[in-house]
Amino acid sequence: TQLLEQSPQFLSIQEGENLTVYCNSSSVFSSLQWYRQEPGEGPVLLVTVVTGGEVKKLKRLTFQFGDARKDSSLHITAAQPGDTGLYLCAGYAGDYKLSFGAGTTVTVRA
Amino acid sequence: NAGVMQNPRHLVRRRGQEARLRCSPMKGHSHVYWYRQLPEEGLKFMVYLQKENIIDESGMPKERFSAEFPKEGPSILRIQQVVRGDSAAYFCASSPVALDSYEQYFGPGTRLTVT
């Protein structure tokens, strides 16, 4: 059983469209991180959210942390083929061990 | 670029052989974590080490798996008598401290294939 549930599992969209990836849990997290992983590579950290209700923007990417610190979302505006990859959310539930979601595979078609 | 380094990137072993995976943390980082990623699954925590100490190995199988982080040199994840089920990508991450507000940075991984 995954501590963090990600949805959808797969997402395929046309270039220029928007997309949202969700990360949900019944547990409270002290912080939550989003990573992007490309085939054959390790996860690359995109952002860390710490405060409930926090919103962070990274160019066309917007990250939200739920008020109760149990969920998060990643929104990409005007997606580009370079956004293609596996998006992983991960969080600390009280210790140093990161718990990961299973990931959302995003494909942006040109 | 002083990122987390792992080698080898790909490792093929026959059943029953030993696999040794190496990880050099980022400069200034003294905390190392190993994770395993199976196809269609997220990364799963295996073990957390500081220099010369295993702090938490609760995610590592009791049999055949061991890890170390010596005073000098890289961290090593060792799998003895490998079986097909050990085939996976193994990732190492490092952080400067082990608090839940600190980010872990990942290496490129070692893809182990057991034939």
Side-chain angles (χ1 to χ4, degrees), chain B residues 51-94:
Chain B
K51 285 282 186 182
E52 300 184 281
N53 283 304
I54 297 175
I55 307 302
D56 183 341
E57 55 184 350
S58 59
M60 198 160 66
K62 298 281 187 282
E63 306 287 328
R64 304 186 297 107
F65 284 72
S66 62
E68 62 176 11
F69 189 14
K71 188 176 180 181
E72 301 291 337
S75 174
I76 308 281
L77 179 67
R78 182 180 176 209
I79 311 173
Q80 294 179 289
Q81 299 174 322
V82 295
V83 301
R84 288 229 172 98
D86 296 331
S87 295
Y90 292 83
F91 292 96
C92 165
S94 72

Side-chain angles (χ1 to χ4, degrees), chain A residues 88-99:
Chain A
L88 296 162
C89 66
Y92 291 106
D95 61 16
Y96 44 74
K97 288 182 263 192
L98 271 178
S99 295

Side-chain angles (χ1 to χ4, degrees), chain B residues 13-17 81-84 114-115:
Chain B
R13 285 286 178 266
R14 291 200 183 103
R15 277 179 298 170
Q17 291 185 319
Q81 299 174 322
V82 295
V83 301
R84 288 229 172 98
V114 179
T115 61

Side-chain angles (χ1 to χ4, degrees), chain A residues 13-90:
Chain A
I13 60 169
Q14 202 69 33
E15 182 177 4
E17 294 181 338
N18 302 332
L19 69 95
T20 302
V21 177
Y22 299 93
C23 179
N24 295 294
S25 177
S26 57
S27 300
V28 175
F29 288 88
S30 54
S31 69
L32 210 141
Q33 302 177 0
W34 284 92
Y35 291 83
R36 190 174 91 184
Q37 185 179 19
E38 300 196 15
E41 299 296 328
V44 175
L45 181 65
L46 297 174
V47 79
T48 298
V49 285
V50 178
T51 307
E54 183 176 4
V55 177
K56 277 193 175 177
K57 293 197 175 190
L58 191 69
K59 296 184 182 177
R60 293 176 294 100
L61 277 61
T62 301
F63 303 86
Q64 277 193 293
F65 200 14
D67 290 340
R69 290 187 287 131
K70 292 182 178 182
D71 55 87
S72 181
S73 64
L74 156 62
H75 182 79
I76 302 179
T77 304
Q80 299 175 0
D83 296 324
T84 293
L86 176 66
Y87 288 82
L88 296 162
C89 66

